Amino acid sequence: MTTARGLMTPDVRCIPATETLDRAAQLMRDHGIGALPVKGSAGELAGIVTDRDIVVRALAAGKDAAKVTAGDLAEGGVHTVDAGADASLAVKAMSEARIRRIVVVEDGVPVGMITEADLARRLTAEAFSSYAGRVYAAS
């Protein structure tokens, strides 16, 4: 049985909700990633911010990336899966929520992230096609 840990990219980078979007963009650039889980003041997962969020919801809307925080932009209700969960549960959660990333946690602490690219590399062509068909299906 493959677990979520077997699908994930380890060492997920997180950002405090109080950090600015320009810093978030710098972290994404420096680490070659497109999303950062956002942690609240108590260390809880408060959401996730993506490179697309920064461009579309902040910059294109005329907001100053040096003043807007990750917490201001983060979407609440970040999706997570336990590291020891069966990989199929992670794929199912991503398919049903129509998301391209899910945070992998162990004892509530982020330990990795499963991205669409991870699925493309590790799933069979049929399984990935099924996932993509659900995520990109017209509403």
Side-chain angles (χ1 to χ4, degrees):
M1 165 182 80
T2 301
T3 63
R5 183 181 303 282
L7 290 180
M8 74 180 195
T9 298
D11 303 322
V12 65
R13 306 284 182 204
C14 296
I15 190 164
T18 55
E19 192 63 76
T20 58
L21 295 182
D22 59 346
R23 181 64 184 137
Q26 292 164 1
L27 285 169
M28 289 179 195
R29 177 201 61 211
D30 293 349
H31 296 287
I33 56 177
L36 292 166
V38 178
K39 286 192 169 187
S41 59
E44 78 285 3
L45 285 174
I48 193 164
V49 65
T50 68
D51 49 3
R52 187 175 194 284
D53 290 333
I54 293 170
V55 172
V56 174
R57 295 180 51 219
L59 300 179
K63 296 179 181 175
D64 184 347
K67 293 182 180 172
V68 178
T69 67
D72 293 335
L73 203 62
E75 294 291 329
V78 62
H79 295 272
T80 64
V81 63
D82 189 76
D86 189 281
S88 65
L89 294 177
V91 176
K92 181 179 179 189
M94 291 172 72
S95 295
E96 289 177 353
R98 298 178 72 181
I99 56 174
R100 293 180 210 126
R101 300 167 177 92
I102 193 166
V103 179
V104 181
V105 297
E106 192 167 57
D107 298 324
V109 176
V111 294
M113 189 176 297
I114 299 172
T115 67
E116 183 176 56
D118 293 322
L119 298 183
R121 282 190 296 271
R122 294 180 177 102
L123 295 181
T124 65
E126 182 180 334
F128 182 75
S129 177
S130 176
Y131 157 79
R134 291 187 70 171
V135 170
Y136 295 103
S139 297

